[in-house]
Amino acid sequence: MNTDAMTAPFIHDFRSDNVAGAAPEVINALAAASVGSADPYGLDPLTAAVTRRLSAIFEAEVTVFPVATGTAANALALSALIPPFGAVYCHQDSHINVDECGAPEMATGGAKLVPLAGEGGKLTPATLTAAVAGAGIGVVHRVQPAALSLTQATEAGTVYRPEEVAALCDAAHAHGMAVHMDGARFANAVARLGCAPAEMTWKAGVDVLSLGGTKGGCFAAEAVVFFNPALAEDFGFRRKRAGHLVSKGRFLSAQLDAWLADGLWLRLARHANAMADRLSQGLAALPGAELAHPVEANEIFVRLPAAVADGLEAAGYRFYRWEGDLLRLVTAFDTPQAVVNSFLKIAKDLSEKA
């Protein structure tokens, strides 16, 4: 018997919810969808079922386009909202500004992202209004305000309340701008607040949502959800031209259909959130530890003494070193509570020895 293997630390990856696998229900749905034939290019029954599910979830008739990646969802959604000479206002840390490799600019034909600062990953109506006031509306030398993009949950792991979304949408609409929501972790935000998805989106003024399933338990499945059908009139052509009209579209929709069925998407998100709560509360109790932002979804930004951070890495745990001594840890739909407990025990032991 290898006693070294028995005593070796359990290795777990907290770098991102992208490192997680897929939920069993999604795996089973893909296997079921592979039996027999189905019409291609999104004309299959499962894609129609996803539209019906999302219409019920959002309490309105929505227009839905499944795609395989969040980058495609965000970039193509924005392309439907703005002209090439338009400006998209977004948080400076937003995924579209930092991590999309210019995809929004490419998809929109050259529109400009205008990053804005905001505490805890959030924008405010005052910040947006001030930016628009100095934009040079009507000046031919300037890009023109065209859209606001919000991230829910934010890149800081915080969550916009419905009234915050509504205030931002009102400010954007007052200047003729459309509103896009990057919902890569939308499920985590809904699960945290316990509000109806409609209250956080179209009832608050959101025009289009990039709904992320990949981080929440799917293999690779996102949905561009239009609350205003007029904005979606040419989106099918945009998706095809960009190479994101999947021929065997039922396999995207099978994932989404299973993920959305019977509230699974929210149950999985609640688990991820609960593990983040447990992890953050345990870390915050350590001497010298400091949470950088409130933990409102499944992302934790924390500062730990160097000896503790280094010791956790040496023990086999993985997480991102964000800036300086700031660490990011992300829990997922399948993060075991036992792993969180073990991580916290080692962290406490290291802290006591430091």
Side-chain angles (χ1 to χ4, degrees):
M1 181 179 295
N2 186 344
T3 55
D4 289 339
M6 292 178 62
T7 57
F10 186 94
I11 298 174
H12 189 76
D13 197 335
F14 287 108
R15 287 177 302 164
S16 173
D17 35 14
N18 285 327
V19 307
E25 294 87 346
V26 172
I27 296 171
N28 293 338
L30 272 178
S34 70
V35 177
S37 62
D39 287 341
Y41 302 114
L43 300 176
D44 58 279
L46 281 170
T47 299
V50 169
T51 297
R52 290 194 298 272
R53 286 198 191 280
L54 287 173
S55 293
I57 286 169
F58 286 103
E59 306 170 46
E61 293 297 321
V62 296
T63 306
V64 180
F65 296 86
V67 294
T69 72
T71 298
N74 286 335
L76 291 174
L78 288 169
S79 78
L81 301 181
I82 63 175
F85 52 84
V88 179
Y89 294 90
C90 59
H91 194 277
Q92 61 187 13
D93 297 329
S94 65
H95 212 76
I96 62 170
N97 187 52
V98 177
D99 294 302
E100 304 283 25
C101 195
E105 293 91 331
M106 181 183 72
T108 57
K112 184 178 180 64
L113 300 183
V114 181
L116 304 175
E119 290 285 330
K122 291 184 177 182
L123 298 176
T124 65
T127 299
L128 176 64
T129 299
V132 174
I137 295 175
V139 177
V140 74
H141 305 289
R142 306 279 189 87
V143 290
Q144 297 298 291
L148 168 66
S149 181
L150 303 174
T151 307
Q152 180 75 309
T154 74
E155 298 294 342
T158 56
V159 171
Y160 286 104
R161 274 59 182 171
E163 60 270 22
E164 293 176 302
V165 176
L168 282 159
C169 289
D170 287 347
H173 291 157
H175 293 93
M177 293 188 287
V179 180
H180 162 257
M181 179 174 281
D182 177 353
R185 296 186 176 95
F186 182 79
N188 299 92
V190 174
R192 174 65 68 188
L193 296 179
C195 65
E199 299 294 333
M200 199 187 290
T201 53
W202 66 270
K203 287 186 177 181
V206 174
D207 296 296
V208 59
L209 167 70
S210 298
L211 176 61
T214 305
K215 288 179 170 65
C218 296
F219 283 103
E222 318 280 312
V224 182
V225 182
F226 285 92
F227 302 108
N228 180 352
L231 294 174
E233 287 182 355
D234 65 358
F235 191 84
F237 298 100
R238 294 178 183 275
R239 181 177 60 166
K240 173 64 178 181
R241 184 173 180 268
H244 285 280
L245 177 59
V246 177
S247 59
K248 296 183 180 180
R250 58 176 156 157
F251 293 111
L252 291 180
S253 297
Q255 297 176 66
L256 293 168
D257 187 56
W259 183 63
L260 295 167
D262 302 319
L264 176 65
W265 66 302
L266 294 179
R267 292 199 301 275
L268 297 176
R270 288 189 194 103
H271 175 81
N273 290 353
M275 293 301 98
D277 290 346
R278 189 177 188 89
L279 186 58
S280 62
Q281 290 163 12
L283 291 174
L286 299 176
E290 178 189 6
L291 292 174
H293 308 292
V295 178
E296 297 180 337
N298 64 321
E299 291 184 278
I300 301 161
F301 290 86
V302 63
R303 290 182 173 86
L304 295 177
V308 176
D310 292 345
L312 286 166
E313 283 188 325
Y317 294 97
R318 305 184 75 184
F319 43 80
Y320 279 131
R321 293 180 179 265
W322 216 241
E323 298 171 357
D325 60 349
L326 185 63
L327 312 179
R328 189 187 83 159
L329 299 93
V330 185
T331 54
F333 74 92
D334 60 351
T335 299
Q337 182 171 313
V339 169
V340 172
N341 293 343
S342 297
F343 183 91
L344 290 174
K345 183 180 184 306
I346 294 174
K348 183 178 179 182
D349 291 344
L350 289 165
S351 180
E352 290 174 349
K353 294 175 183 177

